[in-house]
Amino acid sequence: MATIEPTTRRVALPGRPPFTVDDLLTFPVDGKRYELFNGSLVVSPAPTPLHQRVIFRLQCILNDAAPAELEPLSTVNVRASDEDFYIPDIVVVPKAVSNAVGLMFAPSHLLLAVEVGSPSTELLDRAAKVAAYAAAKIPLYWRVDPEGPVLYVYELEGDSYQEPVAYKAGTTVNLSSPYPLSFDPAELIDD
């Protein structure tokens, strides 16, 4: 039986740095997640099964608690500027906005942005996205470390987020924003 060896292909992407959102729209559809931070391209591989599990379960928790006028969505496009484009793992938005939006949301549409950590995005989620989402005035940012799991809740105060509050597995999280909900972070990974 023959084995198939993985190959590395170099793909020339259209455009030149600094990239713009318009450049991204010409990139190949290849299963990778392309984001922009001040024109710098960030490419992430497809998420792991654990990452997907955490996203799905958290989206279900958010959906079950959501008031009728709000909804959680996964992997949406957020255009903050011509050179800043993000794809949060989960967002909470008004349903009226999601029904009217085409390809991209504006940061002002988001009540919450969530990133689930993975080895390839940890530094980005812990530093760059904290600064970028605060600059975009997204009122709440949650970062989930699936290894705990631990939920980190950042609330916008002025132009930056306060120090995050950490909620570890085995404790009940009681939050009032973006709407009231309670859960144990262990629910995000437990079978």
Side-chain angles (χ1 to χ4, degrees):
M1 177 182 257
T3 58
I4 299 173
E5 295 294 324
T7 60
T8 303
R9 289 188 314 143
R10 294 188 187 270
V11 176
L13 297 174
R16 291 185 0 196
F19 290 101
T20 67
V21 174
D22 289 339
D23 292 330
L24 285 184
L25 296 176
T26 66
F27 283 12
V29 177
D30 58 6
K32 294 181 178 73
R33 183 180 293 190
Y34 294 96
E35 296 179 281
L36 291 177
F37 289 83
N38 198 27
S40 295
L41 184 63
V42 175
V43 183
S44 302
T48 65
L50 176 61
H51 191 269
Q52 292 179 39
R53 181 179 307 120
V54 171
I55 291 170
F56 175 77
R57 290 182 180 177
L58 183 54
Q59 188 173 358
C60 288
I61 290 167
L62 284 163
N63 189 64
D64 290 347
E69 69 275 8
L70 299 177
E71 69 179 333
L73 300 171
S74 65
T75 59
V76 301
N77 300 311
V78 179
R79 182 181 190 152
S81 72
D82 286 343
E83 294 183 340
D84 293 290
F85 174 84
Y86 317 119
I87 306 174
D89 288 321
I90 301 172
V91 298
V92 171
V93 296
K95 281 185 183 175
V97 170
S98 65
N99 290 335
V101 158
L103 181 61
M104 296 183 204
F105 286 87
S108 61
H109 296 144
L110 279 59
L111 304 176
L112 167 67
V114 179
E115 295 291 350
V116 176
S118 65
S120 65
T121 65
E122 183 178 357
L123 183 58
L124 185 68
D125 296 342
R126 292 180 70 173
K129 287 203 174 176
V130 172
Y133 290 173
K137 303 287 187 205
I138 298 170
L140 284 171
Y141 171 51
W142 294 359
R143 183 173 56 85
V144 179
D145 178 354
E147 293 304 316
V150 180
L151 170 68
Y152 296 90
V153 175
Y154 299 77
E155 292 189 49
L156 191 63
E157 187 174 289
D159 292 334
S160 61
Y161 289 118
Q162 299 173 354
E163 281 297 311
V165 177
Y167 299 94
K168 296 180 180 181
T171 61
T172 300
V173 177
N174 292 302
L175 299 170
S176 59
S177 288
Y179 40 79
L181 75 153
S182 297
F183 67 98
D184 180 338
E187 295 173 46
L188 303 176
I189 62 167
D190 284 346
D191 290 335

